[in-house]
Amino acid sequence: MKSTVIATSILSSLWGGSLAFQPSASVTKVSGPRYDTSLQTSRRRILETSIAGASSILLASIASPTKANAAAAVQDSLGVDEFLRTGVDIGGNMGVSSQAGKSRPQTGVVFRDGTDVLQGKSGDVSAELLVGTKASPTSVLVSFNAPYKLETGSVFDVECRDGKTGDGAFLAVTETTNGKRIDELPSSFFLNRLFDPTGRFSFYGPPTDVKVKKSKMLDNDRRMLELTFSNLSQSTNAEIPRNCVVVATIPRGTENAVMLVASSNASRWRKGGAEGRAMQIVESFRAVPAPKTSMKLRAKDRSGGSSLDL
């Protein structure tokens, strides 16, 4: 309705402009030579043709928005299956509300200012994170080895993935453990971070059918959980089964568990060798306190501003 009003207003102004070429009704006719009106007629026809053409273009643009205009209003959520497979959402550019609420999943990862995530040629990944509280932060060095490319897009914290298959691994940090040891925590404590509505696996709603298949200690400091769950596909509304393995540790002197999560779709997990690669990835995971320095611990601001004190 608003578009129709705008179109009517524009057309009215255009027709109003054409009347300027007509003699005013209040003007007294002066006798004299008879002027040739062919030029006036031609100009009027040209104007009418131009206005008709402009009207057609205007109405067509209102009825059929351009691709650029349409893209801005297309989408407020991500395509889960395609995003997990490629890291790219095929549903179009994210709308404003999507960018505000889903531009980056909440993994609990906070980078120390002045540091970057690095990956060597052999697949070794390293990062320096901050855990704890603003009053008492602790710097932690995290490392693991993955055969996948390190992702650097705006929706990733520390994540490596195979762009063709969707197999991948990412880091996450839990809430405070309140002084409990890693083996004292219930499995649900780790799942609260992984399957939170704003978590890495929750682009199009929280996962369903979450099951803990196994929970055991790898050694004195690392605990491993094997999970299955399903994601809802935005395009087909079908449930997509996935498998994942989680390894978690509480770095010495801290009260947050740092986790590495490796996952794949269920079919590749069983038949594509993804399970074996995931086990190798989590086995390589380490998280230890960083060496003490005189430099102040500051959190990297990823919003484009200055650094933030943790």
Side-chain angles (χ1 to χ4, degrees), residues 28-258:
T28 304
K29 293 184 179 180
V30 180
S31 59
R34 186 180 182 88
Y35 291 97
D36 183 6
T37 59
S38 60
L39 177 59
Q40 296 178 10
T41 303
S42 298
R43 293 174 68 181
R44 178 178 176 82
R45 289 178 178 174
I46 292 172
L47 180 61
E48 290 174 345
T49 303
S50 300
I51 293 175
S55 302
S56 300
I57 295 173
L58 176 62
L59 293 175
S61 65
I62 292 172
S64 303
T66 63
K67 185 175 182 180
N69 291 335
V74 165
Q75 185 181 5
D76 279 338
S77 57
L78 292 170
V80 177
D81 48 346
E82 184 69 10
F83 188 89
L84 289 175
R85 189 182 73 78
T86 65
V88 177
D89 179 32
I90 61 173
N93 294 329
M94 295 175 65
V96 174
S97 61
S98 299
Q99 296 177 28
K102 296 185 179 181
S103 58
R104 183 187 304 123
Q106 300 302 306
T107 63
V109 169
V110 177
F111 295 117
R112 181 175 181 176
D113 188 45
T115 67
D116 292 304
V117 184
L118 303 175
Q119 184 178 41
K121 293 182 179 180
S122 62
D124 291 328
V125 178
S126 61
E128 186 170 357
L129 312 181
L130 294 182
V131 300
T133 64
K134 182 175 181 179
S136 182
T138 300
S139 179
V140 173
L141 296 178
V142 180
S143 64
F144 63 93
N145 182 278
Y148 314 127
K149 174 181 173 292
L150 177 68
E151 296 291 352
T152 57
S154 61
V155 298
F156 301 103
D157 289 321
V158 182
E159 181 164 347
C160 297
R161 59 187 299 102
D162 185 325
K164 294 182 179 180
T165 65
D167 298 355
F170 67 91
L171 289 179
V173 179
T174 69
E175 302 290 341
T176 179
T177 60
N178 292 315
K180 291 184 178 180
R181 300 192 312 269
I182 193 74
D183 60 336
E184 296 176 327
L185 296 167
S187 297
S188 59
F189 176 79
F190 306 100
L191 272 56
N192 287 340
R193 168 60 73 189
L194 297 180
F195 301 115
D196 183 90
T198 61
R200 178 64 184 85
F201 291 124
S202 302
F203 284 111
Y204 194 54
T208 59
D209 299 327
V210 178
K211 297 178 182 178
V212 179
K213 295 295 187 179
K214 187 182 297 184
S215 176
K216 67 178 183 178
M217 295 296 295
L218 291 179
D219 48 42
N220 293 332
D221 301 317
R222 297 181 302 161
R223 178 173 169 180
M224 186 179 75
L225 292 85
E226 294 184 38
L227 315 171
T228 60
F229 60 94
S230 295
N231 277 119
L232 181 66
S233 167
Q234 180 183 5
S235 58
T236 64
N237 288 326
E239 297 285 342
I240 303 174
R242 290 186 73 84
N243 289 64
C244 79
V245 59
V246 180
V247 61
T249 186
I250 303 174
R252 187 177 65 257
T254 73
E255 292 191 355
N256 297 86
V258 181

Side-chain angles (χ1 to χ4, degrees), residues 241 243 264-273:
N243 289 64
S264 170
N265 65 54
S267 61
R268 285 188 52 76
W269 189 266
R270 294 189 298 268
K271 301 178 181 179

